[in-house]
Amino acid sequence: MTQMPQVRGTLTAHRPLDELTWLRVGGPADWLFQPADLEDLCAFLAALPTEVPVFPMGVGSNLIVRDGGVRGVVIRLGRGFNAIAVEGTRVTAGAAALDAHVARRAAAAGVDLSFLRTIPGAIGGAVRMNAGCYGRYVADHLVAARAVTRQGAVVSLTPAELEFGYRHSELPAGWVIIEAIFEGPTGDPDTLEALMEAQLATRDATQPTKERSAGSTFRNPSGFSSTGQANDHHDLKAWKLIDQAGLRGARHGGAQMSKKHSNFMINTGTASAADLEALGEEVRKRVFQNTGIQLEWEIMRVGETAPEK
Ligand SMILES: Cc1cc2nc3c(=O)[nH]c(=O)nc-3n(C[C@H](O)[C@H](O)[C@H](O)COP(=O)(O)OP(=O)(O)OC[C@H]3O[C@@H](n4cnc5c(N)ncnc54)[C@H](O)[C@@H]3O)c2cc1C
């Protein structure tokens, strides 16, 4: 077995990941590393043999971790990486700071990053996924992000280097985002707080926010195909296509397409990652048969399937 570097934080072997994800599924990581601070993270990555894969995770609100778990090291940032500071209209947030906390701290200081308020992830995941809603995205507000490379060096990345796309950015495998600097428009703190409360209420009315989900299961089909050619899918919503295929409420084992929002997949309590993935693939197949449109997963699926019993 690979010799692991000495750390000051917590390094745990065979750590189950299900309780660290919103969907509450998934097998163990070979190793879970929770660094004490930046120096600990850099030293660990520099000393870790290059052949060991590294997967950074946030709070697991966009993940299906497969039942066989994740090989290599999963890195999860916590205290030591969650500071939030506001200076003028610039907000600097550690990667482990929750999006909601960043939005509220910014609003209290008169800076409008209100679009982050209802997204249940942390800032590292928000940058990686170019998280957004209400027509605003991380890409619209990011000034720079800091990351640690797989070799343990700290680098600064511009938005251009991150090559943001819809729910996407380009980050080399094993790099860990540690901090993001945002710039937002000014706003009145009380007005921003009221706006965010209204957004939360709308979410609760339209999405299964109290269930175990990972947000939207599939991307809305875009106006361009993967080869860049324009197509007719401009206004198509994944939830409508799922409804039209008669799949609102469809089940596979303990997995279900939510009756409240048909593009949200939920774990009703007993789902395995295999149940969730099989349901998603069945939905893709049926929507394709119905419309000829290939839905693309928005939820990231990582790790290995469980070995056959
Ligand atoms: C109820 C619900 C509603 C949602 N609504 C929205 C929405 O409106 N808009 C939206 O955009 N998303 C939404 N999501 C999806 C999800 O919250 C976002 O994608 C979020 O940004 C993921 O952040 P996370 O910390 O949970 O990342 P994770 O799910 O843990 O990871 C997601 C990806 O980010 C990478 N990552 C995480 N942290 C780091 C890091 N420090 N360094 C490098 N890579 C990292 C992981 O490797 C993985 O590739 C919703 C989810 C739920 C459950």
Side-chain angles (χ1 to χ4, degrees):
M1 196 163 186
T2 311
Q3 182 73 31
M4 284 289 129
Q6 289 292 315
V7 298
R8 283 181 291 109
T10 311
L11 184 61
T12 315
H14 309 300
R15 173 67 158 84
L17 295 176
D18 52 353
E19 67 206 41
L20 300 182
T21 69
W22 269 61
L23 278 166
R24 294 286 187 274
V25 294
D30 287 344
W31 296 92
L32 179 75
F33 178 40
Q34 296 159 286
D37 51 29
L38 178 57
E39 200 189 323
D40 197 26
L41 174 62
C42 293
F44 175 82
L45 286 170
L48 187 70
T50 47
E51 69 275 12
V52 180
V54 167
F55 179 75
M57 75 179 280
V59 294
S61 65
N62 198 50
L63 287 182
I64 291 177
V65 175
R66 295 194 177 102
D67 302 311
V70 179
R71 303 290 72 82
V73 180
V74 171
I75 296 184
R76 196 169 192 264
L77 307 181
R79 256 178 288 162
F81 294 89
N82 63 2
I84 305 169
V86 187
E87 239 184 280
T89 52
R90 285 215 164 169
V91 180
T92 302
L98 291 175
D99 299 359
H101 290 174
V102 175
R104 295 199 69 189
R105 278 288 298 280
V111 182
D112 181 0
L113 294 178
S114 56
F115 75 100
L116 287 172
R117 176 65 183 91
T118 58
I119 303 174
I123 289 300
V127 173
R128 176 69 179 81
M129 297 304 300
N130 188 17
C133 56
Y134 308 114
R136 292 167 70 192
Y137 297 87
V138 161
D140 301 326
H141 297 280
L142 191 84
V143 177
R146 286 207 304 153
V148 180
T149 68
R150 175 61 185 81
Q151 288 73 34
V154 178
V155 293
S156 185
L157 299 165
T158 62
E161 285 166 329
L162 284 161
E163 294 181 47
F164 285 117
Y166 177 66
R167 299 281 193 268
H168 179 78
S169 70
E170 287 293 333
L171 192 72
W175 287 31
V176 183
I177 296 164
I178 49 165
E179 187 179 85
I181 304 169
F182 300 100
E183 177 97 45
T186 53
D188 168 60
D190 291 338
T191 310
L192 290 174
E193 192 59 42
L195 171 71
M196 295 190 295
E197 284 303 313
Q199 288 170 345
L200 280 176
T202 306
R203 283 256 180 181
D204 287 342
T206 57
Q207 297 178 358
T209 50
K210 307 284 183 275
E211 310 262 12
R212 296 167 180 185
S213 87
S216 297
T217 306
F218 303 107
R219 296 150 181 260
N220 289 323
S222 66
F224 295 91
S225 69
S226 54
T227 53
Q229 286 165 323
N231 62 29
D232 297 331
H233 302 163
H234 290 283
D235 294 321
L236 290 180
K237 298 283 182 223
W239 71 263
K240 276 193 193 164
L241 300 174
I242 295 167
D243 269 4
Q244 283 162 8
L247 294 168
R248 181 176 288 255
R251 294 185 76 123
H252 183 106
Q256 184 175 33
M257 299 313 291
S258 165
K259 289 184 180 162
K260 196 166 182 181
H261 190 308
S262 55
N263 193 27
F264 275 54
M265 178 182 275
I266 56 177
N267 175 357
T268 60
T270 55
S272 60
D275 287 342
L276 292 160
E277 215 170 350
L279 177 61
E281 288 304 327
E282 180 63 22
V283 169
R284 292 183 71 228
K285 187 172 112 195
R286 299 263 297 273
V287 167
F288 184 70
Q289 284 167 349
N290 210 31
T291 60
I293 295 169
Q294 282 281 13
L295 288 177
E296 282 178 38
W297 284 89
E298 182 165 318
I299 298 175
M300 297 197 68
R301 291 147 304 131
V302 296
E304 296 180 352
T305 52
E308 296 279 333
K309 286 204 176 112

